[in-house]
Amino acid sequence: LALRSYYISILYTMGFSRYVEVGRVVLINYGPDAGKLATVIDIVDQNKCLVDGPEEITGAKRQVISYRRIALTDLTVTIQRNARAKTLKAAWKEGDTLAKWEGSQWAKKLAAKKTRAGLSDFDRFKVMVAKKQKSRIIAQKIKELKA
C-alpha cells in the first residue's frame, strides 16, 4: 500500500513544465525558418499557433505554425495576446531573452553542432589529433598518480 501511494504521488508531482502559452519562446525545428527562435503570439487551435520572431531580432516572420514544427523552450516573455511586433521587440529587449537563450546549454549545443558541421576535412583531422594528444596526457597523469 505504501509503494502504491508513492507511485501515485510521483504521477501527480511529475508532469509537464513547458506549456504552449502566449509569450512562450519556441525554437522552430522544421521548414524555411528552422533553427530560429520565435514567440507564441496566439493559439489558433489544438494543432497550430501564431508565432512571431520578432523578425528584427530572430529573423522569424509572423506565421501560423503547427506544434509539430516547434520545440518549446523554458523562456517566456510577458506580452498580451496578438501583440504587435513593436511591443514584442520591446518585451524581448526588456527581458534580455536573446542573452538568456545564448547562455543556455541547448543554444550552446546547437552552436557547437553548427561549428562541427562547417569543419573541413583537415579541420576534422586537427581535432582528432588534438583529442589523441589530450587523451595521452590524461593517461600519463593517471599513470603517475597510481605509481
Side-chain angles (χ1 to χ4, degrees):
L1 187 66
L3 189 63
R4 183 172 179 231
S5 62
Y6 170 74
Y7 283 121
I8 290 172
S9 67
I10 286 179
L11 282 173
Y12 285 112
T13 55
M14 288 175 53
F16 297 108
S17 58
R18 299 175 186 162
Y19 299 102
V20 178
E21 58 186 332
V22 173
R24 173 70 61 185
V25 178
V26 298
L27 178 69
I28 300 173
N29 56 25
Y30 187 82
D33 288 330
K36 295 178 183 174
L37 290 176
T39 311
V40 176
I41 302 298
D42 195 6
I43 295 166
V44 177
D45 60 18
Q46 66 184 15
N47 296 316
K48 295 185 211 86
C49 63
L50 178 68
V51 297
D52 190 0
E55 194 174 358
E56 296 86 29
I57 298 173
T58 65
K61 295 180 181 177
R62 185 174 285 230
Q63 59 187 306
V64 174
I65 195 164
S66 172
Y67 294 141
R68 292 176 182 224
R69 294 183 175 216
I70 59 175
L72 303 175
T73 67
D74 288 330
L75 305 172
T76 55
V77 179
T78 52
I79 55 166
Q80 295 292 322
R81 189 167 156 249
N82 283 326
R84 294 180 356 203
K86 186 177 177 182
T87 311
L88 182 61
K89 187 177 174 185
W92 266 62
K93 289 201 188 288
E94 181 188 318
D96 202 24
T97 309
L98 197 59
K100 287 179 186 174
W101 167 252
E102 288 169 353
S104 71
Q105 287 299 315
W106 191 354
K108 289 175 185 176
K109 192 183 287 187
L110 286 175
K113 192 174 180 183
K114 187 176 181 182
T115 303
R116 282 194 306 272
L119 293 178
S120 67
D121 186 45
F122 185 59
D123 291 332
R124 284 191 295 275
F125 173 76
K126 290 192 289 187
V127 168
M128 180 195 71
V129 170
K131 281 183 178 178
K132 282 184 176 181
Q133 288 174 345
K134 179 183 167 188
S135 178
R136 189 177 299 123
I137 291 168
I138 291 171
Q140 284 175 346
K141 292 292 181 186
I142 290 174
K143 193 175 183 180
E144 288 173 10
L145 289 172
K146 284 184 177 178

